[in-house]
Amino acid sequence: QIADAIATPLAGIFSDATPHTMLGGRRLVWMVMGTVCVVICFPRFFSPVMAETPGWSAVFASVFNVGWATTQVSHLALAPDLGGSEGTQLMLSVVRQVATVLSS
């Protein structure tokens, strides 16, 4: 949780500071990096080796939390980038939140 608490605001700061000229927009690079961290770390939680090595478990859990925070923050910040008007931005945020609630 400490890694997540540190990573979440930093992900927002770095994502906001990325130039718009990046391929796919300034948020895509952060979503990809976060997704790679999650994909690499998540299966390790189910490995028998991880149960025997708490130190590595903590490392993989921290990297997972950083990746998850980076992906989520970048995704949440897409609405202001994609929507031109305030109404469009609000609608994008509402649709995302409704989809999140319905999928839970």
Side-chain angles (χ1 to χ4, degrees):
Q1 296 301 332
I2 294 170
D4 189 36
I6 294 169
T8 300
L10 289 178
I13 291 167
F14 291 137
S15 178
D16 286 345
T18 304
H20 287 280
T21 57
M22 300 283 298
L23 178 66
R26 65 182 176 166
R27 309 293 180 194
L28 182 64
V29 68
W30 296 102
M31 285 189 277
V32 169
M33 286 191 313
T35 301
V36 168
C37 289
V38 169
V39 167
I40 289 171
C41 293
F42 188 71
R44 305 294 187 267
F45 294 134
F46 302 102
S47 167
V49 176
M50 287 297 118
E52 298 170 4
T53 55
W56 279 111
S57 295
V59 169
F60 280 108
S62 295
V63 173
F64 176 85
N65 281 331
V66 168
W68 188 261
T70 302
T71 303
Q72 286 293 92
V73 167
S74 299
H75 189 259
L76 287 167
L78 275 175
D81 286 353
L82 295 175
S85 69
E86 190 174 319
T88 304
Q89 292 174 13
L90 178 63
M91 183 55 69
L92 288 170
S93 295
V94 167
V95 168
R96 183 192 186 281
Q97 188 61 32
V98 168
T100 300
V101 170
L102 292 177
S103 67
S104 296

